[in-house]
């Protein structure tokens, strides 16, 4: 085949890809549906011109189209890793973890249910062996949610819902292809009725092996990319090689799932690379993969659609019945998951509630596409699969794909309209009016400055200002006096706007390199959680999200447990350093939000809402300051090192801005500018290095700050520091329960707790202790203690506490003062404490 013709055909396909997107927007159809239709038309046209006697002029082009080297390996080894890898890089993993239950259910459980349902339904109505039927079930269980996600975004559906669907798409393909590999081996080996338990027994090996291979490949890639820190093109090249090497390595070397390896590699890179690469390099890497995935996704649809006419050449009338069975079984299986299992998980509080209209849209939006066709093509190419099985697999997979694309895809937007999902809720209507009012207010100020700068005619300016002012007054009045929403909804609107501005501020700070890319990912997740919390729960939802942003997470507690029980300090040191930097960045962002409240929020929502938002913001700042102060006290000196690092990075950013301005003004030439930027990059690399945190050394310094231990010498302090255990608690956590056994005494290193006993309440803060009375009185605890702020406690067991009490006069005095405050007779504690000091 002439290489010129082949290149011409491929280049023409890129033109088709470019034209398909605006065509899909104009016809209001999913992009994938347009691509599939175009591919089918091209394939049918090529076959028509080869077989017609009307003309032979287009035969070379038709032969090039029909003869394109489209094999299943091209899809599985070239296009599929690209799509999966890009999807993992674009995911907000920290927010995905909030919804891991519904994502796993929709992805893994739904794939298994669909495979079994379709497989057994086909085995009852066809002569195919069960293994072949289950193979078809695995092929058609993959979904392409791009259509429903794009429509959800266009109708302003909840971000959480779109995120669940995106997470499902990633794990769905991985699970379906892994199950496909299992049943493909059964079919090729001629096993007619495999045991499903045997298949599932091999499944963990595929998953674990693939996950390890992908993780290892990504760790090596990140190490190399960090090594080539000054060479961005080298970093991009390594990222391009990573998914393909992970896929091939897992498949060919250890016999594991290449798809799982690619997903694991992408997730590992997503979590680790932002902290190891320069921010701009990470941004450019993701943009590169966005382009590659766009091309790969479009090409895989068109090329797979080109095969549809050939796959349907041997279709029979009876095959339409089997296609109908596949359609009904697949839809029924997905309906069981959406309308039976997910509501049950919601009742068990394991999954967020997904409203019925959205579940109907997800059900009807479960389109199948290129991955289904690629897997079917892999079966038809295998010489070890019986001919009749190959024919039916190709026809059923292709017929089902066409049904989802032509019937479901073309009617999906209409179904969403019928469900009423395309109409804004009252609060969203009010939000849109708020946006218009804020925009017009800004426009008026900018127009006034422009008119003044250009010295325009005063009469014209006054006339236009009067006309524009009427429109602005109407917009502001509509935002303030909307009858469609309640007062609490106006507060919600203000909180949504405040959280949105917080997100914009984070992005601006990231662009300025004031905060690192790694920290930006975390606080962007916090901002997204604030927006969703305000939308779903108003003020209380916003406050819950705000508390969560400063709370100790499970990973931190796990690292602390590993440090205490196993002596592994590196995870705790790394997470503590991350928490320091996270809180510093969060404090920086929060302090920028006050002007937004005093400006736009005040103008649109009025004084009452602005004051309420300012109060909520002040509480958030206070919580961050408290958490930061607790870390400063716990690790003296380390916070100062981080603040020095922040000042150095800010100075470098300003220095870079000055050099750039001088270069643009042609005050310095390209040679001088390049030399200055290279020197700046060297200093920036040093400034980006985070100081190390020595937990063991810091523990002694922490204990030394307690006035209770002021009379202990250095040796005793070190011994006590080794004996004390650290416990991190969040606001609302129960520390001591009533009627529990008294075994330990607690010292507050940071934060605050509340004690409740006999109807009375006391609050204790940093440097104070609790839990000692029950031990000294040899009684069951009658006190309930819970944290009222994120707190760090030092815990000492009973034996060591009694030993320490005998040696420390300061501790004895503190126990006496605490007993007298609570009205406890000193003689009830011990004779020694009853004596006057």
């Amino acid at each position: 085949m002439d290489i010129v013709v082949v290149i011409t055909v491929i280049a023409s396909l890129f033109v088709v890809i470019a034209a398909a997107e605006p065509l899909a927007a104009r016809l209001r159809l999913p992009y994938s549906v347009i691509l599939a239709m175009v591919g089918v038309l091209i394939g049918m046209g090529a076959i028509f011109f080869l077989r017609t006697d009307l003309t032979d002029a287009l035969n070379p082009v038709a032969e090039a189209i029909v003869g394109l080297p489209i094999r299943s390996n091209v899809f599985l080894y070239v296009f599929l890793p690209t799509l999966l890898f890009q999807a993992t890089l674009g995911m907000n993993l920290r927010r995905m973890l909030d919804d891991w239950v519904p994502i796993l259910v929709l992805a893994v459980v739904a794939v298994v249910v669909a495979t079994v349902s379709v497989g057994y339904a086909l085995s009852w109505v066809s002569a195919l062996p069960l293994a072949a039927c289950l193979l078809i079930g695995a092929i058609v269980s993959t979904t392409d949610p791009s259509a429903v996600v794009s429509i959800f975004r266009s109708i302003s559906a909840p971000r959480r819902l779109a995120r669940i669907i995106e997470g499902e798409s990633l794990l769905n393909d991985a699970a379906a292809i892994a199950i496909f590999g299992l049943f493909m081996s059964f079919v090729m080996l001629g096993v007619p009725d495999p045991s499903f338990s045997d298949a599932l027994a091999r499944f963990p090996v595929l998953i674990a092996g693939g996950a390890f291979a992908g993780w290892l490949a990504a760790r090596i890639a990140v190490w190399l990319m960090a090594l080539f820190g000054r060479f961005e093109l080298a970093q991009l090249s390594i990222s391009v090689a990573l998914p393909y090497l992970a896929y091939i390595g897992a498949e060919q070397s250890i016999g594991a799932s290449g798809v799982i390896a690619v997903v694991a590699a992408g997730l590992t890179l997503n979590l680790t690379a932002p902290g190891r690469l320069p921010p701009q390099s990470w941004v450019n890497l993701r943009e590169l993969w966005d382009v590659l995935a766009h091309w790969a996704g479009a090409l895989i649809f068109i090329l797979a659609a080109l095969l549809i006419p050939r796959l349907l050449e041997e279709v029979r009338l009876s095959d339409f019945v089997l296609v109908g069975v596949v359609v009904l079984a697949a839809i029924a299986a997905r309906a069981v998951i959406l309308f039976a299992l997910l509501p049950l998980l919601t009742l068990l509080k394991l999954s967020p509630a997904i409203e019925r209209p959205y579940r109907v849209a997800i059900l009807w939006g479960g389109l199948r596409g290129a991955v289904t066709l690629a897997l079917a093509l892999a079966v038809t190419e295998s010489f070890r699969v019986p001919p009749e099985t190959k024919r039916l697999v190709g026809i059923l997979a292709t017929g089902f794909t066409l049904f989802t694309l032509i019937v479901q895809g073309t009617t999906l937007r209409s179904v969403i309209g019928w469900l009423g999902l395309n109409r804004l809720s009252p609060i969203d209507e009010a939000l849109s009016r708020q946006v218009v009012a804020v925009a017009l207010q800004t426009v008026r100020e900018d127009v006034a400055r422009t008119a003044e700068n250009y010295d325009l005619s005063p009469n014209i300016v006054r006339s236009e200002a009067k006309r524009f002012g009427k429109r602005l007054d109407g917009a502001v009045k509509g935002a303030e006096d909307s009858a469609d929403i309640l007062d609490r909804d106006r507060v919600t609107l203000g909180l949504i706007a405040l959280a949105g501005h917080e997100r914009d501020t984070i992005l601006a700070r990231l662009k300025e390199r004031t905060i690192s890319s790694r920290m930006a990912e975390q606080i962007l997740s916090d901002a997204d959680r604030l927006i969703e919390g305000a939308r779903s729960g108003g003020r209380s939802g916003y406050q819950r999200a705000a508390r969560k942003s400063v709370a100790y997470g499970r990973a931190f507690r796990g690292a602390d447990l590993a440090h205490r029980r196993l002596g592994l300090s590196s995870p705790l040191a790394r997470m503590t350093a991350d928490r320091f930097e996270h809180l510093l960045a969060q404090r920086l962002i929060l302090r920028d939000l006050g002007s937004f409240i005093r400006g736009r929020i005040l103008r649109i929502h009025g004084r009452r809402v602005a004051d309420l938002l300012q109060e909520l913001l002040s509480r958030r700042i206070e919580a961050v300051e408290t958490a930061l102060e607790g870390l400063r006290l716990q690790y003296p000196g380390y916070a100062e090192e981080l603040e020095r690092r922040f000042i150095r990075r800010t100075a470098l950013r300003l220095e870079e801005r000055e050099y750039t301005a001088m270069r643009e003004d042609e005050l310095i030439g390209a040679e001088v500018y390049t030399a200055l930027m290279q020197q700046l990059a060297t200093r920036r690399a040093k400034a980006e290095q985070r100081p190390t945190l020595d937990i063991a050394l810091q523990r002694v310094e922490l204990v030394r700050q307690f006035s209770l231990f002021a009379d202990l010498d250095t040796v005793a302090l070190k011994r006590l520091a080794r004996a004390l255990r650290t416990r991190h608690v969040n606001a609302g956590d129960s520390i001591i329960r009533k009627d529990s056994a008294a075994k330990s005494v607690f010292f507050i290193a940071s934060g605050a707790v509340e004690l409740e006993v006999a109807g009375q309440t006391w609050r204790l803060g940093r440097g104070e202790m609790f839990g000692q009375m029950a031990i000294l009185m040899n009684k069951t605890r009658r006190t309930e203690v819970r944290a009222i702020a994120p707190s760090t406690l030092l815990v000492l067991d009973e034996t060591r506490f009694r030993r320490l009490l005998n040696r420390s006069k300061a501790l004895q005095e503190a126990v006496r003062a605490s007993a007298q405050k609570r009205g406890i007779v000193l003689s009830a504690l011990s004779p020694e404490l009853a004596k006057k000091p």
Side-chain angles (χ1 to χ4, degrees), residues 242 275 535 548 695:
L242 173 58
R535 278 188 174 275
K548 192 170 184 180
I695 292 180

Side-chain angles (χ1 to χ4, degrees), residues 190-271:
V191 180
D193 297 313
S195 169
F196 203 71
S197 60
D198 294 340
L200 290 178
R202 293 178 54 192
F203 197 64
V205 178
L206 292 175
I207 300 295
F212 175 76
W215 172 83
L216 181 62
R219 296 296 296 182
I220 295 173
V222 170
W223 175 75
L224 287 173
M225 293 164 76
L227 194 64
F228 302 151
R230 293 176 53 193
F231 305 97
E232 185 176 324
L233 293 179
Q235 295 172 339
L236 297 180
S237 301
I238 291 173
S239 76
V240 172
L242 173 58
Y244 303 104
L245 293 179
Y247 189 97
I248 295 172
E251 290 273 348
Q252 305 297 328
S253 300
I254 60 177
S257 171
V259 174
I260 298 297
V262 172
V263 172
L267 295 177
T268 304
L269 189 70
N270 192 342
L271 286 172

Side-chain angles (χ1 to χ4, degrees), residues 45 59 104 114 209 247 371 405 411 438 452 472 503 525 527 546 608 665:
N59 281 5
L104 282 182
Y247 189 97
V371 176
L405 291 174
T411 59
V438 171
E452 183 179 352
L472 176 59
R503 198 178 196 284
S525 296
R608 191 183 69 83
D665 295 338

Side-chain angles (χ1 to χ4, degrees), residues 552 630 634 702 726-729 747-751 790-794:
Y552 292 102
Q634 193 175 353
L702 172 63
T726 306
R727 181 178 173 185
H728 302 284
V729 292
F747 301 90
I748 305 174
S750 66
S791 306
T792 299
L793 308 176
L794 300 180

Side-chain angles (χ1 to χ4, degrees), residues 333 358 752:
Y358 286 112

